[in-house]
């Protein structure tokens, strides 16, 4: 049995907000935001949009992309929906996966949400892959979808400028092929860092110690990449692209520098979308595949980190 990604898709809210369009009271500037983060704009949900709606659209795009790749999968064939989100439509229940299942008419799918903040897509990918194998299922949708604009503190200029809404999805197929598409996975948590990035229980807003998160992120990205390469016996020459969680372009640049690897192998897609948490990796996969940078047969690494603290990564052949 071999599990592979056969389709990718993304969805963004209708409304795009440039740095220059942020509220004046924030006392920020396009220059500061770009030079400290690489962010130029973000998409924000408006009427009739939320993380479930975006998740459905991204899933539909992944199914359409699979079709264009020659894989005709209808929604009734989907066995599993794993949805990573920090901002579900309902806190608690029902899960976003259930809302998405209903909208897709995926009548035969099991589904649940994963909560691992920005690392959630990697957690979801490994969970989806493991369950396809374990349950002898054929198709799984793994979705990262976020509406961070609902929980950012719009009075805190050091954090609100970072985040954006969006969704990305992949369709996994479990087949009889002998080729293994996924290599190793790394997953980890450190609850000692819970207080550096958390959602307030009373105010339901993001609280962040930016410096602590930054330092953790650079260290962890380096560790994830080195561990995956060691586990799968890879050198940097074997790897075509290292696709990181898009939190801040400076984090990615610092990790590449510390590893002494060419920055060209680290795509940066934060300028338009800002940090879309667990949606950032599947959105990046979609864009890179659509614009022909990510090609069939390429060896890639994925690496993410987030609140919890959590982290995760994997190697795979596209
Ligand atoms: O998915 C994980 C999510 N979180 C992250 O990835 C966050 C990781 N951390 C970071 O990306 C960076 O720490 C930030 C972008 C949050 C902050 O960048 P920094 O270079 O560490 O800036 P700083 O916090 O050291 O602030 C420098 C100055 C301060 O002013 P003073 O004290 O030097 O006068 C801030 O008040 O910049 C000020 N500042 C701003 N100025 C204009 C902070 N935010 C802003 C802003 N616009 N938006």
């Amino acid at each position: 049995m071999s599990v592979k990604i056969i389709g990718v898709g993304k969805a963004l809210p209708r409304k795009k907000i440039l740095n220059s369009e942020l509220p004046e009271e924030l006392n920020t500037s396009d220059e500061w935001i770009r030079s400290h983060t690489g962010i130029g704009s973000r998409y924000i949900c408006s009427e009739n949009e939320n993380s479930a709606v975006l998740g459905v659209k991204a899933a539909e795009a992944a199914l359409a992309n699979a079709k264009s790749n020659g894989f005709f999968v209808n929604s009734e064939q989907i066995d599993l929906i794993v949805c990573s989100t920090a901002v579900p439509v309902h806190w608690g229940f029902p899960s976003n996966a259930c809302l998405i299942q209903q909208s897709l008419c995926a009548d035969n799918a099991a589904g649940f949400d994963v909560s691992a903040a920005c690392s959630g897509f990697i957690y979801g990918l490994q969970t989806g892959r493991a369950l396809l194998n374990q349950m002898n299922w054929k198709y799984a949708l793994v979705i990262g979808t976020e509406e961070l604009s609902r929980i950012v503190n719009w009075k805190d200029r050091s954090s609100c400028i970072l985040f954006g809404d969006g969704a990305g999805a992949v369709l996994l197929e479990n087949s009889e092929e002998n080729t293994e598409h996924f290599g190793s996975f790394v997953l980890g948590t450190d609850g000692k860092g819970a207080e550096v990035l958390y959602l307030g229980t009373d105010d339901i807003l993001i609280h962040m110690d930016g410096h602590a998160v930054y330092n953790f992120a650079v260290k962890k990205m380096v560790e994830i990449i080195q561990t995956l390469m060691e586990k799968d016996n890879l050198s940097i020459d074997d790897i075509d692209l290292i696709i990181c969680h898009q939190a801040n372009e400076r984090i990615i640049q610092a990790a590449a520098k510390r590893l002494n690897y060419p920055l060209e192998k680290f795509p940066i897609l934060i300028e338009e979308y800002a940090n879309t948490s667990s949606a950032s990796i599947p959105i990046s996969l979609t864009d890179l595949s659509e614009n022909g940078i990510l090609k069939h047969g390429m060896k890639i690494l994925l690496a993410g980190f987030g609140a919890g603290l959590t982290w995760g990564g994997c190697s795979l052949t596209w």
Side-chain angles (χ1 to χ4, degrees):
M1 293 295 224
S2 160
V3 175
K4 70 174 174 200
I5 296 173
I6 57 168
V8 286
K10 68 171 184 192
L12 294 154
R14 298 182 297 268
K15 191 168 165 191
K16 184 179 184 176
I17 300 185
L18 303 174
N19 291 339
S20 58
E21 294 169 328
L22 286 165
E24 222 168 275
E25 308 83 83
L26 283 177
N27 193 20
T28 186
S29 65
D30 183 53
E31 194 283 324
W32 192 96
I33 298 173
R34 280 184 189 274
S35 60
H36 286 74
T37 68
I39 294 166
S41 59
R42 73 281 299 135
Y43 291 83
I44 302 283
C45 284
S46 44
E47 217 183 319
N48 300 326
E49 291 176 323
N50 58 45
S51 57
V53 168
L54 294 178
V56 170
K57 287 189 177 159
E60 285 170 344
L63 287 161
N65 178 247
K67 202 170 176 181
S68 72
N69 294 331
F71 298 93
F72 296 85
V73 181
N74 62 50
S75 41
E76 278 157 31
Q77 290 174 280
I78 298 163
D79 300 293
L80 174 68
I81 298 171
V82 182
C83 177
S84 163
T85 185
V87 197
V89 173
H90 301 273
W91 300 121
F93 51 85
S95 67
N96 262 15
C98 290
L99 304 181
I100 293 169
Q101 178 271 335
Q102 188 260 343
S103 292
L104 290 176
C105 302
D107 295 343
N108 299 306
F112 57 92
D113 287 1
V114 164
S115 169
C118 303
S119 316
F121 179 75
I122 306 285
Y123 273 74
L125 200 55
Q126 174 63 324
T127 307
R129 181 174 162 254
L131 276 173
L132 285 186
N133 272 321
Q134 179 66 31
M135 303 292 284
N136 203 16
W137 283 336
K138 195 157 174 67
Y139 296 110
L141 276 167
V142 179
I143 303 164
T145 184
E146 306 289 2
E147 189 191 351
L148 295 155
S149 61
R150 213 170 101 205
I151 56 167
V152 297
N153 181 351
W154 286 106
K155 294 193 171 108
D156 176 11
R157 66 176 182 172
S158 65
S159 62
C160 73
I161 52 104
L162 294 173
F163 298 103
D165 303 340
V170 299
L171 181 63
L172 298 179
E173 183 194 56
N174 190 10
S175 75
E176 301 293 331
E177 260 182 49
N178 287 325
T179 327
E180 202 50 69
H181 291 268
F182 283 95
S184 293
F185 271 76
V186 171
L187 295 173
T189 55
D190 180 7
K192 287 196 294 297
E195 76 287 354
V196 304
L197 183 53
Y198 66 93
L199 190 65
T201 48
D202 292 333
D203 59 9
I204 327 278
L205 293 174
I206 294 176
H207 296 255
M208 184 181 78
D209 174 344
H211 285 237
V213 176
Y214 186 98
N215 292 335
F216 155 74
V218 176
K219 184 168 162 269
K220 211 32 100 178
M221 297 309 260
V222 168
E223 265 175 43
I224 294 169
I225 292 163
Q226 285 176 330
T227 307
L228 289 171
M229 289 171 68
E230 267 168 39
K231 278 184 159 195
D232 291 353
N233 199 19
L234 298 168
S235 80
I236 185 64
D237 296 334
D238 300 318
I239 296 165
D240 296 293
L241 294 172
I242 302 176
I243 301 167
C244 299
H245 167 46
Q246 307 285 310
N248 181 332
E249 86 175 353
R250 283 164 55 215
I251 292 174
I252 300 173
Q253 288 162 345
K257 193 169 172 200
R258 216 173 271 189
L259 287 158
N260 200 19
Y261 293 163
L263 194 53
E264 303 78 71
K265 297 210 177 193
F266 294 76
I268 294 177
L269 296 101
I270 197 170
E271 206 253 340
E272 180 177 358
Y273 308 121
N275 177 350
T276 56
S277 189
S278 73
S280 89
I281 290 179
I283 289 176
S284 300
L285 289 172
T286 307
D287 278 9
L288 292 167
S289 148
E290 275 174 3
N291 62 24
I293 294 172
L294 177 54
K295 297 190 198 77
H296 183 66
M298 277 187 165
K299 175 65 84 185
I300 63 173
L301 303 184
L302 307 181
F305 63 89
L309 295 164
T310 56
W311 59 91
C314 68
S315 74
L316 68 135
T317 308
W318 191 250

